[in-house]
Amino acid sequence: MQEKFSQILLNAKQDVEKIDNSKDLYDLKTRYLGKNGEITALLRGMKDVAPEQRSAFGKMINDLKVEVEKTFDDKDQMLKQNELNQRLQNEAVDVTLPGNAPAMGSIHPLNIVKNKIINAFCGMGFEVFEGPEIDSDYYCFQALNIPKDHPARDMQDTFYITENFLLRPHTSPGQVRTMENKKPPIKILSPGRVYRADDDASHSPMFHQIEGLVVDKGVSLCDLKGLLDEFVRIIFDKDTKTRFRPSYFPFTEPSVEVDVSCCKCHGKGCNLCKGTGWIEILGAGVVNKKVLEMSGIDSNEYSGLAFGLGIERITMIKYGISNIKTLFESNINFLNQFNRR
Ligand code: PHE
């Protein structure tokens, strides 16, 4: 009998040896230890054994059962470990591989420059006010001392929508709208799109301006100079110089055009400044008393200064861009150059 048991154990060990997956091992285990298994059958045969041998026989079967179970358990452990190792190998991730960086957008150069300008003036106490892009003849012209049929209207090639409404040709209506709604002291910037029937390498029918307006007691051309000197040093560099040239705008008196020393040649003369050493950046002046009065501000008590600059122009000078159209073409290669600047 002992021999038979040893044979069963040996067979079980050999059978287990050949198994290479958990499922087959489970099936094999059922064949030995399941309800109808070989060892279960032996246990059932106990009843036919003579009573005096029963205990010894029982112990032998039990020992056999324990041994066979251990064989299966050991194999089961081994298979599970192998399967785990296999999975770890198959599903391994090389954390040292470089990741796939998602394409990052960037801020448009016009917005970069617009934000810089706004930041520069906000640091000097200015607030931002945005006016409408379609505005009336009154706000675009009449309230700025440009009466109907006045030749000064030819200074801008205007897009009219109706006889009385137009795409604003400048952000100066923002001056009037602010003065009508706010008591001095006033210190505002009015950025936004403007429209003119004008189209070449440095002009576009749609472009962006920022208007500045200061109204307070005792404001003078001298304050304008100080303000713009500081602005130019922030936007270009600290050595940039400004120059005022006499000019004419119906809504300022006196009026000036402001040049900066060329940021490319530092005043020596180059293709950017057309050999003059200076580049024009904006129009400005002391607010015409008539404009203050029309907007309900007492011109005996208060005075004002105003300036209007083109964001495209400053961007082109700052980054050396020769054609304004590149700013509107959505060319990714062009725009990517401004990443992280
Ligand atoms: N509105 C003028 C223009 O578009 C610029 C300007 C603004 C000039 C304010 C003087 C004062 O050309």
Side-chain angles (χ1 to χ4, degrees):
M1 195 49 85
Q2 178 70 52
E3 231 167 75
K4 187 181 170 200
F5 284 6
S6 302
Q7 190 58 49
I8 293 175
L9 181 60
L10 189 68
N11 288 349
K13 283 190 169 163
Q14 281 172 351
D15 287 348
V16 164
E17 185 78 19
K18 290 181 216 136
I19 297 289
D20 65 358
N21 66 74
S22 298
K23 160 112 188 27
D24 289 353
L25 186 70
Y26 178 80
D27 292 346
L28 186 65
K29 191 173 176 184
T30 319
R31 262 174 45 209
Y32 279 94
L33 297 160
K35 227 202 274 171
N36 301 318
E38 209 166 330
I39 292 171
T40 322
L42 287 175
L43 277 167
R44 243 181 247 129
M46 285 266 286
K47 62 181 184 325
D48 303 328
V49 177
E52 63 278 13
Q53 288 173 5
R54 221 172 258 169
S55 131
F57 186 78
K59 184 173 177 317
M60 270 159 53
I61 300 179
N62 215 39
D63 288 351
L64 172 67
K65 195 177 165 213
V66 169
E67 278 290 314
V68 172
E69 269 172 352
K70 185 173 175 326
T71 309
F72 276 99
D73 286 351
D74 288 352
K75 181 73 178 191
D76 190 46
Q77 281 275 311
M78 201 188 90
L79 285 178
K80 289 217 167 93
Q81 189 59 47
N82 281 352
E83 279 159 17
L84 181 65
N85 288 346
Q86 196 65 42
R87 266 187 60 193
L88 286 175
Q89 209 172 48
N90 291 347
E91 295 170 18
V93 175
D94 183 352
V95 291
T96 64
L97 282 176
N100 295 330
M104 290 272 276
S106 58
I107 300 177
H108 193 279
L110 287 177
N111 280 332
I112 296 176
V113 172
K114 179 178 107 177
N115 293 342
K116 273 188 205 285
I117 297 172
I118 290 178
N119 278 344
F121 282 111
C122 283
M124 297 185 246
F126 281 73
E127 289 173 281
V128 172
F129 162 82
E130 287 182 52
E133 279 177 43
I134 296 174
D135 215 339
S136 67
D137 187 287
Y138 177 78
Y139 283 107
C140 291
F141 296 128
Q142 293 174 55
L144 290 162
N145 191 33
I146 315 174
K148 277 213 184 283
D149 305 320
H150 193 279
R153 293 211 174 196
D154 287 348
M155 288 171 81
Q156 289 126 4
D157 301 302
T158 310
F159 288 116
Y160 283 92
I161 292 172
T162 65
E163 205 175 317
N164 203 24
F165 282 94
L166 48 137
L167 293 174
R168 63 175 174 196
H170 51 185
T171 42
S172 300
Q175 290 186 36
V176 182
R177 288 182 175 276
T178 307
M179 289 189 284
E180 281 182 350
N181 289 305
K182 214 167 147 25
K183 297 255 155 302
I186 293 171
K187 236 178 167 184
I188 60 107
L189 285 185
S190 190
R193 291 193 192 96
V194 298
Y195 302 85
R196 292 183 196 177
D198 212 355
D199 199 7
D200 60 35
S202 47
H203 296 89
S204 156
M206 184 285 301
F207 65 104
H208 301 78
Q209 281 190 332
I210 297 185
E211 192 84 7
L213 174 72
V214 178
V215 181
D216 205 347
K217 289 181 179 158
V219 170
S220 72
L221 198 66
C222 200
D223 297 308
L224 180 67
K225 179 94 166 100
L227 204 67
L228 294 179
D229 278 354
E230 179 63 9
F231 156 69
V232 157
R233 278 194 289 267
I234 296 173
I235 295 301
F236 297 102
D237 67 57
K238 62 179 176 19
D239 300 321
T240 309
K241 295 187 177 46
T242 55
R243 175 175 87 169
F244 278 21
R245 275 181 295 107
S247 185
Y248 172 74
F249 298 103
F251 35 94
T252 45
E253 182 59 40
S255 301
V256 293
E257 239 147 343
V258 180
D259 297 342
V260 291
S261 53
C262 179
C263 52
K264 192 171 165 193
C265 65
H266 301 285
K268 288 190 203 77
C270 67
N271 58 347
L272 184 63
C273 59
K274 301 195 182 81
T276 62
W278 294 95
I279 302 175
E280 184 201 318
I281 58 155
L282 58 86
V286 172
V287 179
N288 193 318
K289 286 186 173 221
K290 282 192 197 162
V291 174
L292 291 178
E293 293 292 339
M294 275 190 277
S295 302
I297 289 182
D298 183 353
S299 64
N300 292 319
E301 199 180 349
Y302 294 104
S303 56
L305 55 88
F307 57 88
L309 56 86
I311 302 179
E312 279 76 2
R313 183 155 177 81
I314 303 232
T315 307
M316 289 168 76
I317 297 167
K318 196 170 162 55
Y319 295 121
I321 298 167
S322 52
N323 190 331
I324 193 169
K325 300 297 172 339
T326 48
L327 291 168
F328 306 122
E329 278 169 352
S330 305
N331 175 346
I332 294 288
N333 286 337
F334 170 76
L335 295 174
N336 267 343
Q337 300 176 91
F338 300 89
N339 252 335
R340 285 184 287 277
R341 280 214 192 178

